[in-house]
């Protein structure tokens, strides 16, 4: 979450005049992440989040995101629920940009997930996949495997500037991923950004997920691969097998993986590392001056790519125990 768009008191009052949530008591920008402008909004009716959509979010995609949030909330999944105005609209605008107000979701994210957190997160991810089953709208993954090579063509210079010789290594990875990418895995709605800062806990238990603005239709197992990269690497760059096993076990406590899905996890994890390396590399030089945000380091995911490259079966959990610690 970041702040690129300021909102005046008058603009906020005009926006809230369409809702039944009372007048504003406070509005505070939240300076984390890189995608949208987010504010903690307190009104006479309680606490909410106001999001102004920026950058990668396409206006045509917003009905998918907001209706998905309403769909899963109706099925009991804990997430920030969009608030409709008096006319029933979920999507509004401020300063000429689309925006939405969602309910406040309580809980705390963890900065250093332990294996127990990973198990809870895995169960929460599977619960999301089950809650979203049957959702009638569709959105392609525009940051999926087919997009990576075209994206990288614009970033080869940035890669070599980051680390000499890196562009050739990434090009080789992309060729491998294109050849080995699985095509016939079970698909459904995925979160696609299930990172620790998007997952809340209460007393060590999964309490909900936020930030669904990359959600799309893709292989369900790809969502697990994104999570394995996000939750199961240690600060020193090693892959924690114990945490990875816990995450998958938590997932399978709610939804069993097929043999095909399980065998695809290594290449999916390699690809998921590529996706976040590329978008971080893009953002590294593209964050607007003055934004209350620091872009995330692409080298973190370059190191994860190197791990997957060196140990292509790592995510099958066959690595020596010494790599789990």
């Amino acid at each position: 979450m970041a702040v690129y768009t300021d909102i005046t008191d008058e603009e906020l009052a005009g926006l809230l005049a369409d809702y039944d949530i009372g007048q504003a008591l406070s509005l505070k920008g939240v300076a984390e992440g890189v995608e949208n402008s987010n504010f903690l909004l307190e009104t006479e009716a309680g606490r909410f989040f106001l999001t102004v959509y920026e950058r990668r979010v396409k206006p045509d995609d917003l009905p998918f995101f907001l209706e998905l949030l309403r769909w899963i909330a109706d099925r009991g999944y804990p997430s920030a629920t969009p608030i409709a105005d008096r006319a029933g609209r979920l999507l509004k605008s401020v300063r000429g940009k689309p925006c939405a107000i969602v309910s406040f979701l309580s809980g705390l994210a963890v900065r250093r997930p332990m294996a127990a957190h990973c198990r809870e997160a895995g169960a929460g991810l599977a619960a999301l996949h089950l809650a979203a089953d049957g959702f009638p709208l569709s959105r392609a993954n525009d940051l999926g495997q087919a997009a990576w090579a075209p994206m990288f063509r614009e970033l080869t210079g940035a890669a070599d500037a980051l680390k000499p010789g890196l562009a050739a290594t990434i090009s080789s990875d992309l060729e491998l991923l294109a050849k080995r990418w699985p095509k016939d895995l079970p698909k459904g709605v995925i979160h696609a950004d299930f990172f620790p800062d998007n997952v809340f806990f209460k007393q060590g238990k999964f309490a909900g997920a936020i930030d669904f603005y990359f959600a799309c239709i893709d292989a369900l197992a790809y969502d697990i691969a994104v999570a394995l990269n996000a939750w199961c690497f240690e600060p020193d760059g090693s892959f924690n097998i114990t945490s990875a096993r816990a995450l998958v076990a938590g997932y399978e406590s709610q939804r069993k993986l097929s043999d095909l899905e399980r065998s695809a996890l290594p290449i999916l994890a390699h690809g998921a590392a590529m996706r976040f390396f590329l978008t971080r590399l893009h953002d590294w030089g593209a964050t607007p001056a003055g934004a209350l945000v620091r872009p995330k380091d692409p080298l973190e995911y370059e190191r994860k790519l190197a791990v997957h490259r060196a140990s292509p079966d790592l995510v099958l959990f066959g690595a020596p125990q010494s790599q789990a610690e």
Side-chain angles (χ1 to χ4, degrees):
M1 292 175 282
V3 178
Y4 304 107
T5 299
D6 292 323
I7 299 174
T8 67
D9 291 345
E10 293 76 14
E11 288 167 336
L12 180 60
L15 176 65
L16 294 183
D18 292 340
Y19 290 86
D20 286 321
I21 59 174
Q23 296 182 1
L25 302 178
S26 68
L27 184 73
K28 299 177 182 178
V30 183
E32 297 178 9
V34 295
E35 295 304 327
N36 301 308
S37 295
N38 288 271
F39 303 86
L40 177 59
L41 169 66
E42 289 198 51
T43 77
E44 294 167 324
R47 305 176 83 187
F48 304 88
F49 270 106
L50 167 62
T51 297
V52 181
Y53 298 104
E54 320 259 7
R55 296 169 65 83
R56 288 197 190 94
V57 178
K58 300 174 183 176
D60 289 348
D61 288 336
L62 289 170
F64 176 90
F65 300 139
L66 296 173
E67 292 296 344
L68 173 62
L69 287 172
R70 179 152 61 181
W71 174 277
I72 61 176
D74 287 347
R75 282 148 185 80
Y77 190 80
S79 61
T81 307
I83 306 300
D85 70 4
R86 293 191 190 92
R89 295 171 294 192
L90 302 179
L91 187 61
K92 303 287 288 183
S93 66
V94 65
R95 289 237 170 160
K97 297 180 179 180
C99 69
I101 296 174
V102 301
S103 63
F104 181 82
L105 183 66
S106 62
L108 292 173
V110 293
R111 293 189 179 275
R112 286 291 305 275
M114 307 300 288
H117 295 118
C118 292
R119 183 179 179 91
E120 287 289 317
L125 182 59
L128 168 61
H129 292 167
L130 295 173
D133 187 40
F135 181 59
L137 302 184
S138 182
R139 175 181 179 267
N141 185 357
D142 56 7
L143 291 172
Q145 183 271 325
W148 300 336
M151 187 187 309
F152 186 60
R153 282 197 286 270
E154 307 298 322
L155 297 171
T156 55
D160 277 339
L162 192 68
K163 187 175 180 180
L166 182 57
T169 302
I170 296 301
S171 294
S172 179
D173 276 352
L174 288 168
E175 290 179 10
L176 173 69
L177 290 166
K179 289 177 183 176
R180 295 189 55 201
W181 198 249
K183 305 294 185 184
D184 299 320
L185 300 177
K187 292 187 176 183
V189 173
I190 67 168
H191 185 282
D193 197 28
F194 203 76
F195 276 58
D197 56 355
N198 289 331
V199 176
F200 290 172
F201 294 85
K202 291 181 181 177
Q203 299 180 333
K205 299 296 183 181
F206 176 80
I210 61 170
D211 202 353
F212 282 74
Y213 299 112
F214 289 108
C216 58
I217 307 299
D218 207 333
L220 298 175
Y222 177 72
D223 229 6
I224 303 171
V226 170
L228 287 168
N229 285 333
W231 291 78
C232 303
F233 275 87
E234 296 295 330
D236 66 2
S238 62
F239 185 71
N240 190 317
I241 301 289
T242 302
S243 292
R245 286 174 174 152
L247 191 148
V248 173
Y251 186 92
E252 290 205 287
S253 72
Q254 305 294 317
R255 177 186 174 268
K256 293 296 184 183
L257 292 172
S258 68
D259 290 344
L260 191 62
E261 287 177 302
R262 185 177 288 276
S263 65
L265 284 176
I267 194 67
L268 293 173
H270 193 163
M274 177 62 72
R275 175 266 192 254
F276 285 95
F277 168 74
L278 291 173
T279 51
R280 287 186 178 194
L281 183 61
H282 172 272
D283 291 341
W284 195 243
T287 300
L292 301 181
V293 62
R294 178 177 296 175
K296 295 179 179 178
D297 185 0
L299 284 175
E300 177 190 349
Y301 269 79
E302 186 274 332
R303 291 188 288 269
K304 294 178 183 181
L305 281 169
V307 170
H308 291 304
R309 191 182 303 121
S311 303
D313 292 328
L314 185 63
V315 179
L316 290 177
F317 315 134
Q321 187 63 31
S322 63
Q323 287 189 258
E325 305 299 334

